[in-house]
């Protein structure tokens, strides 16, 4: 009666024995390339105002990217379309921030 859930934004860095070893994890799911329904559910859950044009711009984004866009919306007061544009124009900066965040999290554990 135990559920073990593991997540990563860097699947390419996982050792092969974690992914390929039978019994390590019963199921593996890749959660990128979000679909319209998932995006609407996520935005609605966090009470982010959106329109169909914004949702279309988010199709195919990862959960990490969507989370960053929502943070830009709330933390920096950017409208959703401005937050999307900001993320698209600064992908390298955000990739670096995700990497630093991961390292800090590992250190804190």
């Amino acid at each position: 009666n135990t559920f073990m859930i593991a997540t990563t934004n860097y699947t390419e860095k996982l050792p092969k024995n974690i992914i390929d070893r039978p019994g390590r994890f019963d199921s593996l799911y890749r959660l990128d390339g979000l679909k319209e329904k998932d995006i609407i559910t996520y935005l609605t859950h966090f009470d982010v105002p959106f329109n169909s044009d914004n949702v279309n711009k988010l199709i195919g984004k990862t959960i990490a990217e969507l989370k960053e866009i929502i943070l830009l919306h709330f933390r920096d007061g950017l409208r959703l379309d401005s937050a999307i544009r900001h993320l698209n124009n600064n992908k390298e900066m955000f990739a670096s921030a995700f990497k630093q965040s991961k390292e800090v999290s590992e250190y804190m554990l």
Side-chain angles (χ1 to χ4, degrees):
N1 296 332
T2 301
F3 289 95
M4 178 72 71
I5 298 173
T7 64
T8 182
N9 288 334
Y10 305 98
T11 55
E12 69 279 358
K13 292 183 180 181
L14 290 174
K16 290 290 182 195
N17 66 344
I18 289 193
I19 297 173
D20 295 339
R21 185 171 174 193
R24 185 69 58 132
F25 293 102
D26 294 332
S27 302
L28 296 173
Y29 300 97
R30 187 167 181 91
L31 300 175
D32 59 1
L34 294 173
K35 295 179 178 30
E36 181 178 0
K37 182 183 109 179
D38 304 321
I39 293 166
I40 290 171
T41 300
Y42 207 85
L43 294 174
T44 302
H45 175 77
F46 288 103
D47 202 27
V48 176
F50 63 90
N51 58 44
S52 60
D53 188 42
N54 287 337
V55 170
N56 288 334
K57 291 176 186 173
L58 292 169
I59 292 173
K61 298 277 189 214
T62 64
I63 289 176
E65 289 172 318
L66 185 57
K67 182 186 98 173
E68 190 62 38
I69 288 167
I70 290 172
L71 283 173
L72 287 168
H73 168 72
F74 284 114
R75 184 190 64 210
D76 297 346
L78 296 178
R79 289 188 352 218
L80 193 58
D81 58 339
S82 297
I84 294 167
R85 199 169 33 256
H86 186 67
L87 178 80
N88 289 337
N89 292 337
N90 297 287
K91 284 193 178 236
E92 287 182 22
M93 180 185 73
F94 287 109
S96 173
F98 289 143
K99 184 174 187 278
Q100 289 172 3
S101 173
K102 178 181 176 284
E103 289 168 358
V104 169
S105 298
E106 287 178 349
Y107 177 76
M108 292 172 66
L109 292 174

